[in-house]
Amino acid sequence: WCRRRNAYHLVMHRLAYRSTRSRSLSDDQVVDGIVLPAMEKNRRLDITGCLWCGKSNFLQILEGDRETVRSLFKTIENDARHHDVELLEERGIAEREFSRFAMKLIRGDESDEIGALIRQFGYATDTRGDETMNGAGILQRLVALLIAGRGSA
């Protein structure tokens, strides 16, 4: 938080997106071509975040300066390794959730809880017994699972 004239302003920015992974992209190419270069670049740009990687989807959260985060997202939108890029959340935040990670990689599976929630996000409903989760609730659960560093419950 930054106090300016008795008003509080959020000084950090978070952006979350999901995308379909290019079918020709191997796990080694994800690590060598995306994660390792992103770690180096993100350190230089003071960006933190997390990348969940399943066989056919990515879910990523980026945190940092608003313009830098937006610029990185534009680069990702134009990257041939990503298809159907969908912005899930963009907002100001008081503090980083991934402050220790320039790029935390979580290898996932489409059948784990994160994979299931990513698929359901497009429908904005997730039925669990009597509880129905809207799009915001699904995103909140996805972020909580990523922070915990797990792909399955």
Side-chain angles (χ1 to χ4, degrees):
W1 293 90
C2 177
R3 188 177 172 117
R4 208 181 306 159
R5 292 187 188 174
N6 297 325
Y8 289 95
H9 300 277
L10 300 174
V11 294
M12 299 301 306
H13 198 72
R14 175 183 296 143
L15 184 146
Y17 75 89
R18 64 147 301 277
S19 66
T20 302
R21 177 177 165 174
S22 175
R23 290 182 185 188
S24 63
L25 196 60
S26 71
D27 288 345
D28 288 341
Q29 289 172 316
V30 169
V31 171
D32 296 339
I34 296 176
V35 175
L36 294 177
M39 290 171 84
E40 182 178 319
K41 183 176 185 177
N42 289 356
R43 278 189 201 98
R44 195 173 60 249
L45 297 174
D46 194 29
I47 296 294
T48 57
C50 178
L51 175 68
W52 178 91
C53 177
K55 289 290 181 203
S56 60
N57 289 296
F58 290 121
L59 173 70
Q60 185 169 21
I61 297 174
L62 299 169
E63 301 169 327
D65 170 75
R66 179 178 173 196
E67 294 309 314
T68 305
V69 166
R70 284 183 170 175
S71 177
L72 285 173
F73 181 63
K74 290 289 182 201
T75 301
I76 291 164
E77 284 183 305
N78 294 315
D79 188 326
R81 299 170 293 189
H82 297 266
H83 305 287
D84 305 319
V85 178
E86 178 183 4
L87 180 64
L88 303 177
E89 175 187 58
E90 184 177 13
R91 66 183 181 93
I93 55 173
E95 61 185 310
R96 299 174 192 246
E97 294 290 350
F98 299 97
S99 60
R100 294 180 31 228
F101 302 98
M103 177 59 63
K104 179 179 183 179
L105 174 63
I106 299 175
R107 292 179 192 250
D109 186 287
E110 306 303 322
S111 65
D112 68 25
E113 187 173 2
I114 291 176
L117 288 170
I118 290 170
R119 285 192 310 279
Q120 294 204 350
F121 196 92
Y123 303 110
T125 58
D126 175 36
T127 305
R128 298 176 180 202
D130 296 330
E131 176 185 321
T132 301
M133 202 182 313
N134 63 18
I138 293 171
L139 182 61
Q140 185 177 16
R141 179 70 180 146
L142 283 169
V143 171
L145 288 168
L146 290 173
I147 291 166
R150 60 181 215 225
S152 58

